[in-house]
Amino acid sequence: MNTLTLDIRKSGIEVSADMKAKAQAANALLHSGKGAGNDFLGWVHLPSSISDADLTAIESAAAKLRAKADLVVCIGIGGSYLGAKAVLEAMSDPFRLLRKEQKDPTVVFAGQNISEDYIHALMEASKEHSVAAIVISKSGTTTEPAIAFRLIKAAIEQRYGKAEAAERIVAVTDKARGALKTLATDEGYPTFVIPDDVGGRFSVLTPVGLLPLAVAGVDIRALVRGAQEMEAATDEKVAFDENPAAIYAAVRNALYTNGKKIEILGSYEPQLQYVNEWWKQLYGESEGKQGKGIFPASVTLTADLHSMGQYIQEGERTLFETIISVGEPASKVTINADKENLDGLNFLAGKRISEVNRMAELGVQLAHVDGGVPNIRIGIPRIDAHTVGGLLYFFEKACGISGYLLGVNPFDQPGVEAYKKNMFALLDKPGYEEASKAIKARL
Ligand code: PA5
């Protein structure tokens, strides 16, 4: 059963009948496959189409890597990185690396930057571990992960030999095209396919996200179940007032029309920080085009109340806030009494930390609303694989509806090519000779 709740009472928006009809039509357009970007709608019914055999294949590949390695390097960028990172951080003990006994392999990420120091530090540290790698690229041609994989592949081959390297490297890529597919076939790597009709930022529930998560010990069946339940809860047949994705999409578009150009996603649980990052990519790449789109920003609270809090309370009034509100923590810590009471906090003695956190959340909500920052609250009962699976699909569905309401194609990203052309020209890539001359003259 879907356990996510949406509270828009402090958004200041009364959704009009017209907006409700438009949101329902946008959802229907996603389901009919007749809207813009309809080559990339495979994610809409993805959760319900994942079979037991699909999950078993992923779990069995993960089990092989888990048996061989205590460090698994997951290589990818953008949609081929952020989903796994988001769920992994949400699910993990933030201090797991301090534990003497590690029950799951450590999953680390590479190829999401081109930092020499980052890759050097990773390669050095990995020498102390038994290493495997998952390389993820839908196009198979993305520069950042290709560079990282080149280095990590060579290190694994040098250490274990080519035959054993093929047991320690798994590729996730297109079924037929791209350099990574060719390489994986040539080297005999086990390979998982990213469906043609699922774009990178909508791919967390494909092997792109599920394989690294299974390696890390995440219950991917519960994750998928949560997403399946949300798929049903946001179906085109569900009435607007019952459909959290349609309501969220409608309210954020109404706020945008009212001049609220920036949406800040926040949570009072720091392990959701990378869910914010995943969400920023999802909405930023899907909506930021044709000179329009809400700018997705994020905060982690209460930490950022001591940095961004001032701006949110009193800066330019172009913001609204969406808070992922978690009902119950997984653990219990009670504040102790202190004889001296020098900090004056004995009035909190006996209270749980989560009660203080909850009052911070409620107090901040009212303060920000009073300061002119509308608030949307997304409630999940707890952080676990099931609720996070539902949350991911909720955001995806709302993003599709929202993009159509905005009047853009939410499934392309033409703007990300511009930097690549400049970078290749600056690096003298063959074929870029004229562009190289032109761009160097501009430096
Ligand atoms: O959402 C997207 O499509 C992008 O962020 C891609 O995921 C990212 O550019 C990585 O692409 P690829 O998987 O082809 O290496």
Side-chain angles (χ1 to χ4, degrees):
M1 190 189 93
N2 163 42
T3 50
L4 181 145
T5 56
L6 188 71
D7 185 348
I8 59 163
R9 288 172 300 171
K10 297 211 164 26
S11 69
I13 297 294
E14 195 77 54
V15 185
S16 65
D18 179 52
M19 185 51 114
K20 288 184 186 185
K22 283 185 175 143
Q24 290 299 82
N27 197 13
L29 198 56
L30 287 172
H31 283 263
S32 71
K34 293 187 177 145
N38 55 4
D39 286 352
F40 289 99
L41 291 172
W43 59 272
V44 174
H45 294 296
L46 179 66
S48 58
S49 65
I50 299 172
S51 67
D52 189 64
D54 294 333
L55 292 171
T56 303
I58 292 169
E59 285 164 342
S60 119
K64 284 189 190 141
L65 294 181
R66 284 170 66 91
K68 283 194 178 284
D70 65 308
L71 177 68
V72 178
V73 184
C74 188
I75 301 156
I77 194 167
S80 292
Y81 154 63
L82 281 164
K85 175 77 175 168
V87 179
L88 185 60
E89 291 302 318
M91 297 289 90
S92 300
D93 169 359
F95 298 104
R96 58 195 178 278
L97 296 181
L98 299 183
R99 297 194 184 275
K100 294 216 168 70
E101 296 289 313
Q102 301 289 334
K103 76 175 175 29
D104 297 304
T106 301
V107 173
V108 296
F109 294 88
Q112 81 281 35
N113 59 53
I114 333 175
S115 162
E116 190 159 337
D117 285 340
Y118 183 95
I119 195 78
H120 179 260
L122 171 58
M123 308 250 318
E124 284 301 306
S126 63
K127 287 180 184 159
E128 294 169 27
H129 295 271
S130 175
V131 182
I134 303 171
V135 54
I136 307 172
S137 178
K138 186 170 184 205
S139 64
T141 57
T142 308
T143 309
E144 292 92 333
I147 292 172
F149 183 54
R150 184 181 270 236
L151 290 161
I152 288 161
K153 173 179 181 285
I156 291 179
E157 285 175 354
Q158 192 184 19
R159 193 157 148 200
Y160 302 102
K162 249 184 156 349
E164 176 62 12
E167 303 283 318
R168 287 176 178 260
I169 297 173
V170 178
V172 183
T173 189
D174 184 83
K175 69 173 183 311
R177 282 163 303 173
L180 180 58
K181 174 65 194 164
T182 311
L183 188 87
T185 309
D186 289 354
E187 302 283 2
Y189 300 152
T191 302
F192 285 90
V193 169
I194 310 172
D196 281 347
D197 57 358
V198 179
R201 58 190 174 275
F202 290 85
S203 69
V204 56
L205 296 166
T206 72
V208 168
L210 298 181
L211 179 62
L213 291 170
V215 168
V218 172
D219 181 352
I220 58 169
R221 287 178 188 263
L223 188 83
V224 169
R225 199 169 59 250
Q228 286 168 343
E229 288 163 6
M230 187 57 74
E231 181 188 326
T234 60
D235 188 79
E236 59 170 334
K237 294 189 198 75
V238 176
F240 176 88
D241 293 311
E242 305 296 321
N243 184 335
I247 299 171
Y248 174 54
V251 170
R252 62 195 297 284
N253 272 275
L255 288 165
Y256 181 62
T257 306
N258 293 351
K260 301 298 184 188
K261 307 280 186 198
I262 299 167
E263 178 175 11
I264 305 174
L265 185 70
S267 158
Y268 289 74
E269 298 297 338
Q271 68 263 45
L272 293 182
Q273 189 181 343
Y274 273 90
V275 170
N276 295 347
E277 297 305 318
W278 171 83
W279 170 89
K280 283 196 276 195
Q281 188 210 354
L282 182 64
Y283 281 78
E285 267 189 354
S286 299
E287 294 194 318
K289 50 196 73 159
Q290 296 168 28
K292 40 189 183 176
I294 296 170
F295 182 82
S298 68
V299 286
T300 297
L301 304 165
T302 62
D304 287 337
L305 294 174
H306 300 260
S307 63
M308 297 304 290
Q310 172 61 37
Y311 190 106
I312 297 170
Q313 190 69 47
E314 294 183 347
E316 197 173 350
R317 302 297 71 193
T318 48
L319 315 172
F320 68 98
E321 245 175 348
T322 299
I323 297 296
I324 303 173
S325 179
V326 180
E328 271 296 314
S331 38
K332 188 170 176 182
V333 180
T334 305
I335 299 170
N336 53 309
D338 183 85
K339 207 152 70 126
E340 309 299 334
N341 194 29
L342 290 177
D343 56 11
L345 288 182
N346 270 354
F347 75 100
L348 295 177
K351 287 194 197 300
R352 288 181 64 179
I353 299 270
S354 54
E355 195 180 336
V356 181
N357 206 21
R358 171 78 52 218
M359 293 310 127
E361 181 181 328
L362 294 176
V364 170
Q365 183 194 51
L366 293 177
H368 287 180
V369 168
D370 290 347
V373 179
N375 180 284
I376 298 171
R377 186 196 286 159
I378 297 164
I380 55 172
R382 71 198 77 79
I383 299 173
D384 61 22
H386 177 249
T387 61
V388 171
L391 185 66
L392 297 175
Y393 187 85
F394 159 78
F395 277 134
E396 289 181 354
K397 191 62 177 295
C399 184
I401 298 172
S402 189
Y404 280 170
L405 286 175
L406 185 67
V408 298
N409 173 359
F411 309 114
D412 67 0
Q413 53 284 330
V416 301
E417 295 307 315
Y419 95 90
K420 294 183 190 169
K421 286 187 197 129
N422 287 352
M423 183 175 75
F424 291 142
L426 288 166
L427 287 167
D428 297 314
K429 185 173 176 175
Y432 283 73
E433 290 76 10
E434 284 309 309
S436 288
K437 269 190 237 149
I439 197 164
K440 285 179 183 168
R442 289 176 57 203
L443 289 177

